[in-house]
Amino acid sequence: VQLQASGGGLVQPGGSLRLSCAASGCTSRTCDMAWFRQAPGKERAWVAVIRRSGGGTYYTDSVKGRFTITRESAENTVYLQMNNLKPEDTAVYYCAAKSGGRIIISAMQSDRNYDKWGQGTQVTVSS
């Protein structure tokens, strides 16, 4: 499994960005996919997950209603649509995959439970 993240950039508050994560070796039936982010001076934090085989999507509270995680099965690509961006969303964003057994809900927020990571993509929200 290899993950390639892209789509970051500089955007003004209230703007939108869409991040992409191309996942070779991962399908909608074999991997749970997640986005994490790491702001300067902070630990990496979970943002959202889309579980395999129709297992649902989940978000951290601070992004609910603004971010949407989706999956394009034909392209083995996961997206994170980010709307109404705020300065506190500034961070390096990472996509992650869990192969093997399906991730359980109680474990999805811990980065230790994901076995593959993409390189980060910088998102900066500033006027």
Side-chain angles (χ1 to χ4, degrees), residues 49-97:
V49 68
I50 184 164
R51 298 173 78 204
R52 73 188 76 178
S53 303
T57 57
Y58 301 85
Y59 301 89
T60 192
D61 286 346
S62 63
V63 309
K64 285 179 182 177
R66 300 188 299 122
F67 290 12
T68 304
I69 186 170
T70 57
R71 188 173 211 154
E72 175 54 59
S73 297
E75 299 173 354
N76 285 342
T77 300
V78 174
Y79 300 98
L80 185 68
Q81 178 67 44
M82 304 185 296
N83 298 327
N84 190 22
L85 282 160
K86 303 176 180 181
E88 52 263 42
D89 295 317
T90 295
V92 178
Y93 283 71
Y94 298 90
C95 61

Side-chain angles (χ1 to χ4, degrees), residues 17-48:
L17 280 175
R18 189 178 77 159
L19 305 183
S20 301
C21 178
S24 61
C26 241
T27 74
S28 61
R29 290 179 293 176
T30 64
C31 293
D32 305 298
M33 299 293 297
W35 288 95
F36 285 75
R37 65 186 179 186
Q38 187 167 21
K42 295 187 177 181
E43 293 186 353
R44 188 161 57 186
W46 172 73
V47 175

